[in-house]
Amino acid sequence: MSSNSPFTPLKALAPEAYSHRFFRNPSGLSDLGDPMIYKEGDTYYCYATGAGKGFYVYRTKDLSDWSRADAEKTLCFAGNNWAECNYWAPEMYKYQDKYVLFYSAQYGPKYDLRLGIAFADSPMGPFVDPLGHPLLDTPYCAIDAHLFVDDDGTPYLFYVRDNYDNIIGDHKVSQTFGVQLSPDLLSPVGEPVLLTTPQEPWELLSGYFIWNEGVFVLKNKGKYHLFFSANYTSTHDYCVGVAVADSPLGPYSKLRQNNPLLAPASSLETGKVIVSGPGHHAYFTVGDELFTSYHVNADIENPTMIRTLCIDRAGFHTDGTAYICGGTQARQLLPLQDLGLKNLLKDARILSDGNTGLLTDGDICVAETSSLYLWRGKEIRISWPEAVKADMMMIHHRRAEKGTGRIIINEQYEYRFNFADIGSLPGAAVIVGFEPMEITSCRIVFDQDTCIGEILVVG
């Protein structure tokens, strides 16, 4: 810092003092795929492909540490009497007064996949199949079941027609379908409707076999967002996209400037892939924050069906478009509710020479498709009508950003930073922790035009 600065240097804490607030991808929970996380009370439950016949549930109270959950995994579903193998893609929900598990498995001795359903009184199981036969009587291979319940309580089943027996033109094609379900979830209402098929260039990278799979639906501001994975899971190119509709069963449109939402990433220094095949995701909420779980290839050099769990934040911009803050490899804050903290910036008045709304939309702008939502400028002024108590600030900058800047708190304390010191891992941020203090104002001044994804003032 310049010796003639009018400000007192901010005493920053060593990273070890606040390391307990963060998690990092990949999670360490490996040899699984298609992960879905459900939270109840103070416990997280993870369901995934990988148990052989049936499914395990992994349980933890700490989203940053799944090592104990891996050691203490429980077989929550031991299978059914109509399928011997290929138990894939479990999704678990609380529906009415029961816990319900949707899944796919091989029906009979041939490669003939079907959807199944099972119920339990606890998220730990044991789940029991009440039907003794597949949920839907489809004349084709069906996988990746997903339950969506609309605001009026109507349940819908979304799933995928597998490309094993679906030849369209010059390709074997996986497509997403949807159908309304009866209130007890045990039978369809009407016929399944075709919703999406791979057709965009970023979905057609796997050659003869092409995919739209791993479907998940969220509703936001009256719009239905159908998320899906494209390309082959055991390649770098596996990724997540979205299509949007005005009703649950479509028609759905893929927004070209919004896709893919979650994609592979490479090292800026070497060009080698460092996030390989992120996909088959599911969403869960913690407090008012939306998160997504997904898998990546454990062996980056030679991708196989050995995959590992990752977690990142997600959400919707004010214009209604969806985003995923991934795939990150740098430290990310644990859910604020779990930490007993909040982002105080959302209660502040913000003035800047850029679009200030982009500083609090939740998107840290990891994905290339989020570049339209980067804040651009040189100075940000933050103030609160009454003093707030904070002990940390984070600045999520554009991954390739260069340059320097400073944080000035209460026009008294100054912290200087250099983006070169932060590194270039996806999701990296300037993180400064300090002893709790009351703050009424804060300025962030960059020494050059700068691109920022998100700012957090934590307390």
Side-chain angles (χ1 to χ4, degrees), residues 206-452:
S206 296
Y208 178 52
F209 293 86
I210 54 178
W211 283 267
N212 277 178
E213 64 178 16
V215 62
F216 202 103
V217 174
L218 294 176
K219 188 177 183 180
N220 180 64
K221 295 183 178 178
K223 298 286 187 179
Y224 298 84
H225 297 256
L226 186 152
F227 302 88
F228 58 91
S229 294
N231 303 314
Y232 181 41
T233 184
S234 293
T235 66
H236 297 321
D237 296 321
Y238 203 53
C239 60
V240 172
V242 65
V244 182
D246 294 322
S247 66
L249 298 180
Y252 281 89
S253 298
K254 297 173 184 176
L255 305 178
R256 291 193 173 182
Q257 68 180 23
N258 201 212
N259 281 308
L261 297 178
L262 179 64
S266 298
S267 166
L268 298 183
E269 289 75 30
T270 68
K272 292 184 177 180
V273 173
I274 55 175
V275 178
S276 174
H280 201 124
H281 72 317
Y283 291 101
F284 63 101
T285 57
V286 186
D288 61 358
E289 293 186 285
L290 181 66
F291 287 80
T292 184
S293 57
Y294 58 97
H295 67 236
V296 296
N297 292 311
D299 187 338
I300 297 176
E301 294 293 330
N302 300 289
T304 67
M305 292 299 287
I306 299 176
R307 298 157 295 181
T308 188
L309 170 68
C310 290
I311 299 164
D312 275 310
R313 282 175 167 81
F316 295 90
H317 300 113
T318 56
D319 64 7
T321 56
Y323 64 82
I324 294 175
C325 297
T328 68
Q329 287 194 326
R331 294 176 299 169
Q332 303 301 312
L333 268 180
L334 286 164
L336 290 169
Q337 183 185 73
D338 290 358
L339 296 171
L341 300 170
K342 63 183 293 188
N343 179 11
L344 301 170
L345 197 65
K346 295 192 175 182
D347 300 323
R349 183 188 184 202
I350 308 172
L351 299 173
S352 76
D353 52 357
N355 183 343
T356 56
L358 299 178
L359 297 170
T360 57
D361 64 355
D363 189 358
I364 66 174
C365 297
V366 176
E368 290 185 12
T369 49
S370 285
S371 61
L372 294 174
Y373 299 92
L374 284 162
W375 176 91
R376 293 170 169 83
K378 291 186 67 174
E379 185 169 358
I380 301 163
R381 293 176 176 265
I382 305 166
S383 62
W384 290 265
E386 297 182 0
V388 295
K389 183 170 283 188
D391 62 6
M392 179 180 286
M393 288 191 64
M394 297 179 64
I395 303 173
H396 282 281
H397 56 289
R398 181 174 58 179
R399 188 177 167 209
E401 200 67 33
K402 307 293 183 183
T404 56
R406 54 195 174 128
I407 300 170
I408 303 167
I409 297 176
N410 292 339
E411 294 300 316
Q412 182 178 0
Y413 301 102
E414 181 181 64
Y415 178 81
R416 287 184 174 266
F417 57 86
N418 186 335
F419 289 134
D421 298 332
I422 310 305
S424 62
L425 287 177
V430 173
I431 304 173
V432 53
F434 43 86
E435 293 295 334
M437 71 167 68
E438 291 193 341
I439 299 177
T440 57
S441 69
C442 177
R443 283 193 294 137
I444 303 174
V445 182
F446 303 101
D447 296 324
Q448 58 286 309
D449 284 332
T450 299
C451 290
I452 296 297

Side-chain angles (χ1 to χ4, degrees), residues 49-294:
T49 300
K53 183 174 182 179
F55 300 105
Y56 291 121
V57 58
Y58 304 80
R59 179 173 56 172
T60 184
K61 294 182 184 295
D62 182 356
L63 202 63
S64 68
D65 181 13
W66 289 91
S67 58
R68 182 174 298 178
D70 191 21
E72 299 178 359
K73 62 189 178 186
T74 302
L75 189 67
C76 64
F77 179 53
N80 57 47
N81 62 2
W82 55 264
E84 290 297 322
C85 61
N86 290 331
Y87 281 78
W88 294 346
E91 290 199 359
M92 201 289 297
Y93 310 87
K94 189 170 186 181
Y95 179 78
Q96 297 178 355
D97 61 345
K98 287 283 188 179
Y99 298 88
V100 57
L101 184 78
F102 288 88
Y103 62 96
S104 49
Q106 184 169 311
Y107 185 43
K110 297 192 303 180
Y111 187 85
D112 197 9
L113 298 161
R114 294 291 187 274
L115 308 177
I117 189 171
F119 294 90
D121 295 321
S122 162
M124 294 294 292
F127 288 88
V128 177
D129 187 328
L131 297 176
H133 57 77
L135 176 59
L136 295 184
D137 184 23
T138 57
Y140 48 77
C141 288
I143 61 172
D144 296 354
H146 165 68
L147 175 68
F148 170 76
V149 181
D150 210 346
D151 298 335
D152 62 0
T154 303
Y156 294 87
L157 178 68
F158 293 84
Y159 67 93
V160 172
R161 178 174 181 178
D162 189 63
N163 57 22
Y164 174 77
D165 58 359
N166 190 28
I167 299 176
I168 301 176
D170 296 330
H171 294 89
K172 282 196 169 184
V173 185
S174 285
Q175 301 166 298
T176 69
F177 283 76
V179 65
Q180 184 179 328
L181 290 180
S182 59
D184 63 5
L185 307 182
L186 297 179
S187 59
V189 177
E191 294 297 319
V193 178
L194 173 63
L195 303 177
T196 73
T197 192
Q199 57 195 11
E200 299 296 329
W202 59 271
E203 303 174 280
L204 306 175
L205 302 178
S206 296
Y208 178 52
F209 293 86
I210 54 178
W211 283 267
N212 277 178
E213 64 178 16
V215 62
F216 202 103
V217 174
L218 294 176
K219 188 177 183 180
N220 180 64
K221 295 183 178 178
K223 298 286 187 179
Y224 298 84
H225 297 256
L226 186 152
F227 302 88
F228 58 91
S229 294
N231 303 314
Y232 181 41
T233 184
S234 293
T235 66
H236 297 321
D237 296 321
Y238 203 53
C239 60
V240 172
V242 65
V244 182
D246 294 322
S247 66
L249 298 180
Y252 281 89
S253 298
K254 297 173 184 176
L255 305 178
R256 291 193 173 182
Q257 68 180 23
N258 201 212
N259 281 308
L261 297 178
L262 179 64
S266 298
S267 166
L268 298 183
E269 289 75 30
T270 68
K272 292 184 177 180
V273 173
I274 55 175
V275 178
S276 174
H280 201 124
H281 72 317
Y283 291 101
F284 63 101
T285 57
V286 186
D288 61 358
E289 293 186 285
L290 181 66
F291 287 80
T292 184
S293 57
Y294 58 97

